[in-house]
Amino acid sequence: TSTAEINACADREFEAADRTLNEIYRQALARIPELGDAGDPQYGAKAWEAALRESQRAWVAFRDAECKTHVAMFWAGGSGTSAAVLGCMTEKTRNRTEELKSLYVKAEQ
């Protein structure tokens, strides 16, 4: 297996994980109106949605900094850098997906 093939595979895995995260994130946003306290603007749906959006933007920035910058340092630009970065991004994306699922997605009954 060549470096190009490894990178292509790692990229496909990340893209699949990212698609799943985006779907779960959409489900989380859709769930907020039933979770928010309509009588309290501080905890109502609008504030809750803003908080989740802010959290997700911060999480993406963390993931990208951790994987694209910090993890990449261990490889010093070597041929394994891309696969290592994509592997890190995939793992963190899958973890975030599970985190959002546990908070927002109802279990199948």
Side-chain angles (χ1 to χ4, degrees):
T1 304
S2 70
T3 300
E5 291 169 327
I6 291 169
N7 291 342
C9 182
D11 188 53
R12 283 190 302 273
E13 285 187 33
F14 170 68
E15 291 298 326
D18 194 50
R19 280 191 303 276
T20 302
L21 172 60
N22 288 326
E23 176 56 32
I24 295 301
Y25 179 66
R26 280 190 291 278
Q27 290 179 31
L29 288 170
R31 214 50 234 284
I32 287 173
E34 69 187 74
L35 297 171
D37 182 348
D40 184 347
Q42 183 178 356
Y43 298 102
K46 188 174 181 177
W48 196 321
E49 181 177 334
L52 176 57
R53 288 184 186 279
E54 181 181 347
S55 172
Q56 189 67 8
R57 281 191 298 274
W59 176 83
V60 168
F62 162 75
R63 180 201 62 195
D64 290 353
E66 179 65 16
C67 297
K68 293 179 179 179
T69 307
H70 182 223
V71 167
M73 296 301 288
F74 290 95
W75 292 87
S79 62
T81 304
S82 293
V85 166
L86 287 165
C88 174
M89 292 179 66
T90 300
E91 178 183 356
K92 293 202 177 315
T93 299
R94 287 177 178 158
N95 290 342
R96 178 64 172 172
T97 300
E98 290 306 312
E99 183 178 89
L100 290 177
K101 272 185 184 178
S102 72
L103 293 170
Y104 290 99
V105 179
K106 292 180 180 178
E108 295 297 321
Q109 312 241 334

